[in-house]
Amino acid sequence: MASASNHRQHLTGYLDKHKNKQLNNNDSSSGTGSGNGSSSSQKNMNSGSGKTSTKPVANSRARGGRNTTAVTNSRRRPPPLIKGKATIEHLPYEIMVEIFSCLEAQDLLKAACVCKRWHNQANDNLLWEKIFRTHGATLNDDGAKPLRPPLEYWKQLCIKRCTEKRNKTCLKLLKKMHPYTGLPRFTEKALRSAGVWFQLCLIDSDGKEHTSMTCDVFHHSMSIAVRWYSLTNVPLARIKQLKVFSCNPLFFDEKGHAVRTGPYQRSLMSSTDLKWSVFVKDTTPVAANDTIVLYSVPASDLLVATWKADGELTFVAVGYHHLQLVHRCLLGTTTSAFPLPVHTPVPDDIDPSYGLHDYRCTVDVRNMRSSLWTQQFQGLHCRKQDIGEGYAYFRLIRKDHTGDHVIIPKQFSLPWKTDLFKGIIRNVSWLDLTLLDERETVFWSFSSPLTAQTKEKTKNVDFVYNGEDHLTAMFTGEKGQVHVELNQMDDDRTFVSCLEVRVALAAINEWFETCY
């Protein structure tokens, strides 16, 4: 009992001592001011302004173990109140940028399309400056950095520099011309160096894009052949537009090879408004067999094959001529194709047959994979009496001269394939043609499907071919027509008995400034 009484007296004395000490401190602080007026004004200011407040700081203690207070500014935004579960939208800007720093460039481009907030975060200069230093920087860029770059500065600079480096490397390869065809010699090398691949885009009635990557690309002397057969299951009845894009990678590794998984630019190669249900009713198939039906789309030189059973898509094929092909692939945009340069006519008042002579024509009949027959014809001319029906006739292989006839060593047909099936379509192939004028300038060029139709059995003056089928094929293009006659023998050999190039007089007059 004595110990309890002593403990109570000791605690009472300790509390009284500290209470008196606190009262003395308050009296001394009130005496240092400017009287009652200053203390009252201070009190009014604290109570009336509402701008500052004293609040205890959570989980903070002074060295002596007592709670302290801190003055906080009410203008600073408090953290938002989260109702329910927290999501990624509640993460601070800095944390989101740190998360995006783990993504590759192509993933950042996709993330920037999600919403406005992600657009700003995925295009942050801290992220793209690192990518620029890796892929787009040059020796002149060392140390170059603006003080306050705007949003997307490093992203735009990175894409610009990568595009310039790629185009400069590829276009440099086109300076040397091929002496045989008159076209750039290293077109294939330039396309491979740029890592170009092609994309087929089917747009349905809802405006949704269904894309397919190139399955096969075959390079030929004057063109390339592209084929798609791993196609998405989109009903053709819903397709309203068909587009072909060239996809050009932006990033390259240390060896100069394109990074196929990196970001790329798309360049429009062709676009065709195609309502398939109407197109099938108004168009005759160019060929068919027991498995597929083949249609030709004239506006874009596309071959579209459908299954004979259900009418759905089998494969799509297209050919592109080498003339300005690299420029079309690299310099076009997503919405517009690269415009071909405008020809400047060179007039001649002395030559009475100007524009009708000294042409050079190179012809290549091929399938998707290999060439069937190729030949060049030089010194072509057209007499004025051979002009008729708005065309100038250039006879490369004369029908009545058997010495001009040429045998095609391979079968005149078009092999096709899909993931599971393959076959051959007879009497269909591809025709590549390059026509040079007397100044060795490309006057007319194209790469287009060629379909031969059986007409009648014929007999030659000198020989009789039993069981021989007479085939004719006609191509009509922007600057003229090409007429071909073929003869098939019993041993499946085919020879060309007539080849005629008909150039439109309107095209000659526009090119040479003549008046035929």
Side-chain angles (χ1 to χ4, degrees), residues 157-170 250 265:
L157 184 62
C158 178
I159 295 176
K160 178 182 177 182
R161 291 292 175 82
C162 291
T163 303
E164 291 174 350
K165 288 167 61 177
R166 179 199 63 202
N167 294 351
K168 182 179 179 181
T169 302
C170 297
L250 285 173
Q265 294 173 321

Side-chain angles (χ1 to χ4, degrees), residues 199-202 226-228 241-245 269-274 276 279 283 286 294-305 313 315-320 368 414 428 430 447-451 475:
Q199 184 185 75
L200 177 67
C201 180
L202 303 175
V226 186
R227 181 169 58 192
W228 300 266
Q241 196 172 26
L242 193 151
K243 294 183 178 181
V244 178
F245 291 98
M269 301 295 292
S270 61
S271 177
T272 306
D273 294 331
L274 188 66
W276 188 255
F279 175 79
T283 306
V286 297
L294 196 62
Y295 295 90
S296 177
V297 183
S300 55
D301 291 332
L302 286 169
L303 274 182
V304 179
L313 203 57
F315 70 87
V316 177
V318 69
Y320 291 116
M368 295 297 297
L414 183 69
V428 179
W430 227 274
S447 177
S448 178
L450 184 67
T451 304
F475 168 79

Side-chain angles (χ1 to χ4, degrees), residues 286-287 412 426-429 449-455 470-474 484-486 488 494:
V286 297
F412 188 79
R426 295 177 60 87
N427 300 336
V428 179
S429 67
L450 184 67
T451 304
Q453 304 292 336
T454 302
K455 291 297 182 182
H470 183 64
L471 307 175
T472 61
M474 175 71 73
V484 184
E485 294 187 12
L486 306 170
Q488 289 184 340
T494 304

Side-chain angles (χ1 to χ4, degrees), residues 61-298:
R61 289 185 176 273
R63 293 183 179 179
R66 293 173 296 174
N67 292 337
T68 60
T69 59
V71 178
T72 60
N73 192 350
S74 63
R75 290 178 295 179
R76 183 176 180 182
R77 287 185 179 180
L81 296 177
I82 301 176
K83 297 181 179 180
K85 294 183 179 180
T87 64
I88 194 172
E89 295 296 329
H90 298 101
L91 292 179
Y93 184 93
E94 294 78 7
I95 301 299
M96 289 297 297
V97 172
E98 185 66 23
I99 294 175
F100 284 146
S101 65
C102 302
L103 302 181
E104 299 292 338
Q106 64 273 16
D107 299 322
L108 290 176
L109 294 174
K110 295 177 182 178
C113 300
V114 174
C115 61
K116 185 176 181 180
R117 184 169 182 260
W118 280 30
H119 175 82
N120 296 335
Q121 294 165 348
N123 291 327
D124 192 277
N125 288 318
L126 292 176
L127 303 176
W128 282 96
E129 182 180 2
K130 181 180 178 181
I131 300 175
F132 170 78
R133 300 298 180 189
T134 304
H135 297 283
T138 60
L139 296 177
N140 298 328
D141 293 323
D142 291 342
K145 182 178 180 180
L147 295 177
R148 294 182 179 179
L151 184 66
E152 300 187 33
Y153 171 82
W154 288 109
K155 171 188 172 182
Q156 295 176 359
L157 184 62
C158 178
I159 295 176
K160 178 182 177 182
R161 291 292 175 82
C162 291
T163 303
E164 291 174 350
K165 288 167 61 177
R166 179 199 63 202
N167 294 351
K168 182 179 179 181
T169 302
C170 297
L171 297 179
K172 189 188 300 182
L173 299 172
L174 304 179
K175 294 182 179 180
K176 193 171 184 179
M177 308 302 290
H178 198 289
Y180 182 75
T181 60
L183 300 171
R185 185 165 192 161
F186 299 113
T187 298
E188 178 182 352
K189 185 177 180 180
L191 292 175
R192 293 185 184 275
S193 175
V196 174
W197 54 280
F198 296 90
Q199 184 185 75
L200 177 67
C201 180
L202 303 175
I203 303 177
D204 60 20
S205 55
D206 297 330
K208 184 179 179 180
E209 293 187 0
H210 305 269
T211 60
S212 299
M213 184 178 174
T214 309
C215 294
D216 293 322
V217 177
F218 304 103
H219 293 268
H220 302 279
S221 59
M222 295 186 294
S223 67
I224 65 170
V226 186
R227 181 169 58 192
W228 300 266
Y229 51 80
S230 296
L231 302 174
T232 55
N233 296 324
V234 183
L236 277 177
R238 296 185 56 199
I239 300 300
K240 69 172 185 179
Q241 196 172 26
L242 193 151
K243 294 183 178 181
V244 178
F245 291 98
S246 164
C247 299
N248 316 302
L250 285 173
F251 294 165
F252 296 82
D253 58 20
E254 297 178 354
K255 296 182 179 180
H257 300 152
V259 180
R260 296 296 295 269
T261 58
Y264 59 87
Q265 294 173 321
R266 293 201 308 178
S267 178
L268 182 64
M269 301 295 292
S270 61
S271 177
T272 306
D273 294 331
L274 188 66
K275 192 172 182 180
W276 188 255
S277 58
V278 178
F279 175 79
V280 172
K281 292 180 181 179
D282 299 339
T283 306
T284 303
V286 297
N289 57 18
D290 296 337
T291 309
I292 65 173
V293 181
L294 196 62
Y295 295 90
S296 177
V297 183

Side-chain angles (χ1 to χ4, degrees), residues 18 95 183 212 305 320 374-375 384 425 430 442-443 455 491:
H18 283 272
I95 301 299
L183 300 171
S212 299
Y320 291 116
T374 181
Q375 187 170 340
K384 290 188 176 181
I425 303 178
W430 227 274
V442 179
F443 173 78
K455 291 297 182 182
D491 56 359

